Amino acid sequence: MQLTTTTTTALWTALLSAASVAAHGHVTNIVINGVYYEGFDIDVFPYEDDPPVVVGWTTPNTGNGYIPPSEYAEPNIICHENATNAKGYAVVGAGDKINIQWTAWPDSHHGPVLDYLANCGDDCSTVDKTTLEFFRIDGVGLVNDTDVPGYWGDDELIDNDSSWLVEIPPELAAGNYVLRHEIIALHSAEELDGAQNYPQCFNLKVTGTGTLSPTGTLGTELYQSTDPGLYIDIYSTLTTYEMPGPTLISGAVSVSQSSSSITSYGNATTADDSSATAAAAATTAAAAVSTTAAAVAAADTAAADTSAAAAASVVSITAAPTTFVTATVASTSAAAPASSSAAGDDGDDGDDGDDSDCDDGDDDDDDDDDDDDDDDDSGDSSADSYVASSTAAAAVAATTPAPTTAAVAGSSSSSDTQSMYGQCGGVNWSGATACASGASCYSYNAYYYQCIATS
Ligand SMILES: *[C@@H]1O[C@H](CO)[C@@H](O)[C@H](O)[C@H]1NC(C)=O
Ligand SMILES: *[C@@H]1O[C@H](CO)[C@@H](O)[C@H](O)[C@H]1NC(C)=O
Ligand SMILES: *[C@@H]1O[C@H](CO)[C@@H](O)[C@H](O)[C@H]1NC(C)=O
Ligand SMILES: *[C@@H]1O[C@H](CO)[C@@H](O)[C@H](O)[C@H]1NC(C)=O
Ligand SMILES: *[C@@H]1O[C@H](CO)[C@@H](O)[C@H](O)[C@H]1NC(C)=O
């Protein structure tokens, strides 16, 4: 491709700013009515012998890579590269909202955010992903193009603490579902096959009395590389943006974005839990999520106070866990991701969504010829034609339940030190707060601190 001088300058500018941004992102956790559920931690779990059961699907995508359009007909587009089923699930009531927390998302990677569900029948932990039929329950594309390349769904996500709020359709039939959440970055999409898809999947058990049971589309049939919403130059002024993929189902509710406060820490439920012993546990979990009672602001405040005290000797890495842990892995000479440096990138060749193509390296190729174009902006955005988020500004705070008994029970092992990756603090934690040699206690949030290798 040909670069003009101004474009080249813009590239260097983009490169320099990219240097301060961590690689592309992934979802660290979801929050349902205040209950925090850990996702698949790609910075830690791939290096563990026996990683915990979580609600997020497993993917060895340690480089935070993407799936290119050349793989739209391949299984990788379903739940990310080589993804395998999550072994646990979270219980959620139809009509409840789920907040999906990403690591810091790069500013330059503008594009839509979409959410789909697919019914898995008996068990999402074993279902064949290639049979799942997804229907779309949410989506925000171009919000406005006042300042080219525009303000997009991902910009709302960034502005809401790198998180995304999605509502389970209130009339959805109860059952087991895979939630497929996705950001599509369009910063290189002016070239065919230049879009970057970042799907992330989670297992849910939806409760409720509704009967809505929409038909869906196989993951491998959601998109075509030539879809107008995927092959598009966002650096020219857009008067319209057509969301890619199937249309929104009727019965979907798009909510205004906001982040969710965390009031307790929950573990994934497993099929075993729910069949044998845990009629009780399931009941508790269901009660936890279906609560719509007003939040206990006072409890929150008390919790915050407690953890503030506890946090004195704790380093908060809320803002940038990715960076820290990556460094840690390297320094312990475990199988560190080989691709974490921004080596020359071949983002063009599109047929591998593999890590090394992804890390900020994208910025040093032909993409991101953005900034210069900003001046072309004519500002006539005709916002009506965009698929913007709508209505229903139900504030999360209003539906935050009281902390449940399923919260952080102190495991109260009274050993002096916690082992690597064990919990070391958080509200009501009564176990060890010191970490074994070589590890330090880090605060992920007020409810969960974990021993991580000291860098
Ligand atoms: C995914 O699987 C393919 C085929 O086995 C392999 O070549 C590729 O390296 C895997 N990707 C990751 C990120 O492990
Ligand atoms: C476009 O979105 C940005 C970010 O929300 C906002 O600051 C700006 O006012 C919006 N412009 C219009 C015309 O709506
Ligand atoms: C979150 O996103 C909404 C759009 O849904 C926006 O109006 C709001 O300003 C964002 N929140 C923050 C803190 O920017
Ligand atoms: C912490 O303990 C207090 C007192 O027992 C209790 O009221 C509160 O709900 C607990 N918080 C959590 C998050 O479990
Ligand atoms: C969650 O799992 C961890 C690790 O297995 C365990 O220590 C903790 O007690 C569990 N918490 C709850 C609320 O079940």
Side-chain angles (χ1 to χ4, degrees), residues 106-125:
D107 286 332
S108 63
H109 288 35
H110 301 284
V113 179
L114 307 99
D115 290 283
Y116 300 85
L117 289 172
N119 190 311
C120 344
D122 291 340
D123 189 351
C124 293
S125 72

Side-chain angles (χ1 to χ4, degrees), residues 60-62 76 81-82 354-355:
N61 170 41
T62 49
N76 280 347
E81 189 172 0
N82 300 349
D354 162 319
D355 331 338

Side-chain angles (χ1 to χ4, degrees), residues 27 67 72 76-80 100 102 105 111-116 136 138-140 153-154 157 164 179-185 196-202 219 222-223 230 243-246:
V27 171
I67 307 302
Y72 283 168
N76 280 347
I77 192 62
I78 302 171
C79 289
H80 217 306
I100 301 164
W102 285 78
W105 187 251
V113 179
L114 307 99
D115 290 283
Y116 300 85
R136 186 155 70 82
D138 178 34
V140 176
D154 81 290
L157 180 146
W164 191 258
L179 170 64
R180 180 180 183 278
H181 169 76
E182 181 178 43
I183 302 177
I184 306 178
Q196 301 182 351
N197 295 62
Y198 297 84
Q200 303 269 283
C201 292
F202 306 88
L222 291 172
Y223 306 123
L230 296 168
M243 286 290 273

Side-chain angles (χ1 to χ4, degrees), residues 48-69:
E48 289 186 310
D49 292 336
D50 189 20
V53 170
V54 292
V55 300
W57 280 48
T58 295
T59 160
N61 170 41
T62 49
N64 281 323
Y66 59 89
I67 307 302

Side-chain angles (χ1 to χ4, degrees), residues 410-428:
S411 81
S412 63
S413 75
S414 52
S415 60
D416 293 335
T417 59
Q418 178 59 279
S419 55
M420 188 75 79
Y421 304 122
Q423 185 172 358
C424 53
V427 174
N428 290 354

Side-chain angles (χ1 to χ4, degrees), residues 39 42-43 62 187 198 200 225 236 260 272 281 286 378 424 427 432 436 450:
I42 58 177
D43 295 321
T62 49
H187 58 290
Y198 297 84
Q200 303 269 283
S225 60
S236 57
S260 282
D272 290 346
S378 62
C424 53
V427 174
Q450 188 181 40

Side-chain angles (χ1 to χ4, degrees), residues 90-409:
V91 180
V92 60
D96 281 343
K97 298 178 191 66
I98 301 181
N99 189 267
I100 301 164
Q101 181 69 58
W102 285 78
T103 52
W105 187 251
D107 286 332
S108 63
H109 288 35
H110 301 284
V113 179
L114 307 99
D115 290 283
Y116 300 85
L117 289 172
N119 190 311
C120 344
D122 291 340
D123 189 351
C124 293
S125 72
T126 55
V127 72
D128 174 357
K129 65 183 177 182
T130 64
T131 67
L132 291 171
E133 297 184 0
F134 293 94
F135 52 90
R136 186 155 70 82
I137 59 167
D138 178 34
V140 176
L142 182 59
V143 177
N144 76 54
D145 210 24
T146 306
D147 192 10
V148 174
Y151 187 83
W152 295 78
D154 81 290
D155 295 297
E156 285 192 359
L157 180 146
I158 291 170
D159 283 344
N160 282 274
D161 214 11
S162 282
S163 74
W164 191 258
L165 194 65
V166 56
E167 178 168 324
I168 302 299
E171 296 306 320
L172 187 67
N176 300 307
Y177 292 87
V178 171
L179 170 64
R180 180 180 183 278
H181 169 76
E182 181 178 43
I183 302 177
I184 306 178
L186 299 175
H187 58 290
S188 305
E190 71 276 15
E191 292 181 28
L192 189 62
D193 280 340
Q196 301 182 351
N197 295 62
Y198 297 84
Q200 303 269 283
C201 292
F202 306 88
N203 290 350
L204 304 174
K205 178 183 284 293
V206 175
T207 61
T209 56
T211 55
L212 183 65
S213 183
T215 55
T217 303
L218 293 175
T220 48
E221 295 176 359
L222 291 172
Y223 306 123
Q224 304 285 327
S225 60
T226 51
D227 288 346
L230 296 168
Y231 181 27
I232 183 173
D233 181 2
I234 65 170
Y235 306 109
S236 57
T237 298
L238 301 175
T239 53
T240 183
Y241 178 72
E242 187 178 321
M243 286 290 273
T247 54
L248 198 65
I249 59 159
S250 89
V253 178
S254 293
V255 294
S256 284
Q257 292 304 306
S258 75
S259 47
S260 282
S261 59
I262 297 164
T263 53
S264 64
Y265 180 80
N267 284 338
T269 308
T270 63
D272 290 346
D273 293 340
S274 55
S275 55
T277 13
T283 306
T284 306
V289 296
S290 63
T291 307
T292 52
V296 194
D300 283 351
T301 310
D305 290 344
T306 308
S307 63
S313 62
V314 169
V315 183
S316 172
I317 56 168
T318 308
T322 304
T323 308
F324 176 79
V325 177
T326 299
T328 298
V329 170
S331 71
T332 55
S333 66
S339 58
S340 52
S341 64
D345 143 80
D346 56 342
D348 285 335
D349 68 10
D351 36 55
D352 47 354
D354 162 319
D355 331 338
S356 53
D357 295 328
C358 171
D359 303 71
D360 305 319
D362 302 318
D363 298 319
D364 36 335
D365 213 320
D366 48 6
D367 26 355
D368 279 32
D369 39 335
D370 44 344
D371 305 321
D372 278 12
D373 296 349
D374 290 354
D375 301 327
D376 304 318
D377 168 20
S378 62
D380 56 333
S381 56
S382 68
D384 295 342
S385 59
Y386 303 136
V387 181
S389 71
S390 49
T391 61
V396 174
T399 59
T400 305
T404 69
T405 50
V408 188

